Amino acid sequence: MNQYAVWGNPIAQSKSPRIHQLFAEQAGKNMSYVAKLGDEQDFEQQLTKFFKQAQGANITAPFKERAFKLADEHSERCLLAGACNTLKRLEDGRLYADNTDGVGLCNDLARLGWLKAGQKVLILGAGGATKGVLLPMLQAEQVITLYNRTFEKAVDLAEKFAKFGNIQAACWGEVCSQKFDLIINATSFGLQGKCVELPTHLFQDAFVYDMQYAIEMKTPFLNYAKTNGAIKYQDGLGMLVGQAAVSFQLWEGVMPEVEPVLRQLKAEMSK
């Protein structure tokens, strides 16, 4: 039986074991997938020991950069992100690292009908979540504006990815004076019950997407957006399932169907 796990700290809240259980049932695969609590001090040793038996792993906060450094090979999108969320043990025992977050996001946006070439996209935040999705978003021909509290961080990120497509950093005044087709929250403010409070006119005609997810989409950012005129909005549950599907395909060679798993998760979360 192939063995997999998701590593993080904290990890008890992870939906990944349930998602991959549903994928395995759908694909007729006999596999084990569990949640593993990573130790801040001994994570590298834990992961090395795990891979003596296991075939693959997902990595979540705060270990994505540390797992990246442990890998022997990396996909291009993983190299650019400087972090991985997926590891696969190759036949010779070496570790291959990928970052499936951006593909997961793009696939979910496409599922929603929100991914159109040439549209203007505002991404809030310039941290790890943003780094993980920029290459696939630019490959999907999105015209991206980055806004971050620390302007220089957004500038550095825009310069790093400029050769892959149309991307720029913007200060607050520039953001307020523009209109966007799609607004994506990639900040972690929601974990503290906060959000970036954008001018209300930006929500009038834009699709609004939060990479975080919550029961009935009640994230702080989506609540703020709805209160201020957003009509079309979505949380990141579909991105979570989407990135997991790409990981599953990398490991097991089968791309599972996302929609039935997403419906099942939503039903279970609403109970």
Side-chain angles (χ1 to χ4, degrees):
M1 182 187 293
N2 286 349
Q3 296 181 44
Y4 304 98
V6 57
W7 290 83
N9 189 341
I11 198 61
Q13 81 290 350
S14 176
K15 299 266 186 275
S16 293
R18 180 60 175 146
I19 291 170
H20 283 279
Q21 178 190 12
L22 292 169
F23 285 164
E25 291 172 0
Q26 184 188 115
K29 297 285 186 177
N30 184 25
M31 57 180 265
S32 169
Y33 188 110
V34 297
K36 294 277 193 179
L37 181 66
D39 185 272
E40 292 279 1
Q41 302 299 319
D42 299 321
F43 171 69
E44 286 78 6
Q45 291 86 345
Q46 286 180 310
L47 200 63
T48 300
K49 182 178 179 182
F50 173 75
F51 268 105
K52 289 180 179 178
Q53 300 290 332
Q55 284 67 46
N58 286 129
I59 310 295
T60 188
F63 300 120
K64 289 185 176 184
E65 291 80 9
R66 291 168 67 173
F68 173 90
K69 293 175 182 177
L70 272 182
D72 304 290
E73 288 188 26
H74 306 78
S75 67
E76 182 184 30
R77 60 198 181 201
C78 185
L79 283 172
L80 284 164
C84 76
N85 74 337
T86 304
L87 289 170
K88 177 181 180 179
R89 191 183 75 191
L90 302 175
E91 288 186 6
D92 60 8
R94 292 178 306 137
L95 291 183
Y96 174 79
D98 197 2
N99 192 313
T100 66
D101 285 335
V103 182
L105 172 62
C106 288
N107 288 350
D108 197 42
L109 292 173
R111 179 185 69 86
L112 295 165
W114 293 7
L115 193 70
K116 300 178 178 68
Q119 69 181 357
K120 294 182 65 178
V121 181
L122 173 63
I123 299 182
L124 306 174
T130 299
K131 291 177 187 176
V133 304
L134 283 181
L135 181 60
M137 288 288 285
L138 289 169
Q139 289 172 332
E141 300 179 55
Q142 306 301 287
V143 179
I144 296 175
T145 297
L146 296 179
Y147 171 72
N148 192 65
R149 283 183 303 178
T150 306
F151 180 62
E152 291 75 18
K153 196 173 179 182
V155 170
D156 290 344
L157 200 53
E159 290 176 350
K160 179 180 179 180
F161 282 86
K163 63 183 177 181
F164 299 102
N166 193 329
I167 183 170
Q168 64 176 349
C171 63
W172 181 249
E174 292 169 329
V175 168
C176 295
S177 64
Q178 296 185 53
K179 290 189 71 176
F180 300 94
D181 302 301
L182 171 64
I183 300 170
I184 298 175
N185 176 42
T187 73
S188 59
F189 290 163
L191 298 175
Q192 292 87 45
K194 303 175 184 177
C195 70
V196 179
E197 297 185 354
L198 296 172
T200 57
H201 74 270
L202 292 181
F203 293 120
Q204 302 309 311
D205 300 309
F207 298 123
V208 181
Y209 193 97
D210 193 344
M211 286 192 192
Q212 296 182 352
Y213 64 91
I215 297 172
E216 297 179 352
M217 296 195 293
K218 290 181 178 177
T219 70
F221 182 71
L222 291 185
N223 282 337
Y224 179 81
K226 286 185 285 184
T227 301
N228 288 282
I231 298 175
K232 296 180 180 179
Y233 45 84
Q234 187 67 50
D235 73 354
L237 189 63
M239 175 182 172
L240 176 70
V241 179
Q243 62 80 25
V246 181
S247 295
F248 187 89
Q249 182 185 38
L250 179 65
W251 297 327
E252 293 286 337
V254 178
M255 175 59 83
E257 292 183 44
V258 165
E259 281 283 4
V261 174
L262 196 51
R263 286 196 299 270
Q264 181 66 27
L265 280 182
K266 287 179 179 178
E268 292 172 3
M269 289 171 65
S270 65
K271 291 180 180 177

